[in-house]
Amino acid sequence: MNTRLRLMTANLKAGEADSRCLIALLEREAPDAVAFQELSCEKIVELQEIIPRLYPHGVMDAGPNGCGLGLVLRLPAQVQRLPLPCCDAWIARIDLPGSAGPAQIEVINAHIIPPHFLLCLWQRRLQVRALRSYLDCLALRPHVLLGDLNSTGIFPAYRMLARDLADAALLSAARNGGRVQPTWSPRPGWRRMFRIDHALVDPSLSVHSVRVFDLPGSDHSALIVDIGF
């Protein structure tokens, strides 16, 4: 039996992303799991009717200054916080009933500290190392690292986190003959310049497609990934 999952990651720019456009995207594309970064209290209120209906499992955690994270799912899952320096990650272990393959997959939502915060560079390094240490322990289940990693492919942080994982966007582009698309610009509405939002997948998983969607009000585009095993 071939099991497929649709995953989405979206940085909401401290809650400034347009809620109507976000809801329309969720309803139209129907991802099975959604990882939010920069989730504010106000955004949680705006989404309080739609999220429980579409995604009855998971967590919406508003951090200080709009820096919260959310990880919501259609399927039952064990959801827990992964303590990291400065900004924790969230983990969902999703059970896959009826699958002939692995019985469980782990989805990790992370938001890495930006490199231009010079006073926080050491915390950024510690955050990446702690997350890498956790990934090194995941030998028993396939996993996917989603989120705003604030790193292009040339950054040491990206290379460390992707050391034994596959970049879903690169796999999809190679498979489908397309090109990887940037996901971030300095301001909302500007042409996207860099690819810093990622889905890094366990090599045992197959990547069917990676698509980028505009997210009005945010300086990031949303990333939707279809995986299978």
Side-chain angles (χ1 to χ4, degrees):
M1 176 180 175
N2 185 27
T3 301
R4 292 200 183 196
L5 283 177
R6 175 166 291 178
L7 309 175
M8 172 175 156
T9 179
N11 182 309
L12 305 183
K13 197 181 186 301
E16 294 181 22
D18 186 279
S19 293
R20 289 176 298 176
C21 294
L22 175 60
I23 291 170
L25 178 62
L26 293 174
E27 292 183 325
R28 185 179 70 249
E29 298 299 326
D32 298 296
V34 184
F36 295 119
Q37 302 89 45
E38 297 197 25
L39 182 65
S40 66
C41 292
E42 293 78 11
K43 186 59 62 181
I44 291 177
V45 172
E46 292 175 11
L47 300 175
Q48 64 182 350
E49 293 186 7
I50 190 71
I51 290 297
R53 177 168 63 84
L54 294 180
Y55 301 98
H57 307 283
V59 63
M60 296 279 276
D61 180 49
N65 301 316
C67 292
L69 276 78
L71 185 52
V72 295
L73 310 101
R74 294 181 184 276
L75 298 171
Q78 306 167 37
V79 181
Q80 67 183 58
R81 185 189 299 269
L82 174 62
L84 297 175
C86 289
C87 184
D88 295 340
W90 281 94
I91 301 166
R93 298 187 181 101
I94 308 171
D95 294 319
L96 301 168
S99 172
Q104 195 175 68
I105 183 172
E106 183 160 300
V107 176
I108 306 163
N109 177 19
H111 188 191
I112 302 301
I113 299 168
H116 57 272
F117 291 172
L118 297 180
L119 296 177
C120 298
L121 279 179
W122 180 243
Q123 288 89 344
R124 172 182 163 93
R125 294 191 184 102
L126 292 177
Q127 186 188 24
V128 170
R129 289 173 185 171
L131 183 53
R132 180 66 257 177
S133 295
Y134 177 79
L135 292 171
D136 288 339
C137 297
L138 284 176
L140 299 179
R141 66 177 68 88
H143 49 283
V144 178
L145 173 60
L146 287 175
D148 175 8
L149 303 187
N150 270 308
S151 306
T152 68
I154 66 173
F155 277 55
Y158 170 92
R159 296 198 299 270
M160 181 178 289
L161 294 174
R163 188 170 62 208
D164 58 356
L165 298 173
D167 188 320
L170 295 179
L171 288 178
S172 177
R175 173 176 177 168
N176 301 317
R179 301 177 63 181
V180 294
Q181 294 179 262
T183 63
W184 177 84
S185 57
R187 293 183 182 274
W190 286 18
R191 182 174 178 269
R192 301 306 190 210
M193 299 172 59
F194 299 109
R195 190 172 68 93
I196 64 174
D197 302 89
H198 298 281
L200 304 179
V201 304
D202 191 286
S204 66
L205 302 170
S206 60
V207 176
H208 298 284
S209 69
V210 174
R211 294 171 295 151
V212 173
F213 293 87
D214 185 39
L215 199 57
S218 178
D219 49 354
H220 292 252
S221 296
L223 193 71
I224 293 184
V225 184
D226 289 317
I227 62 171
F229 43 91

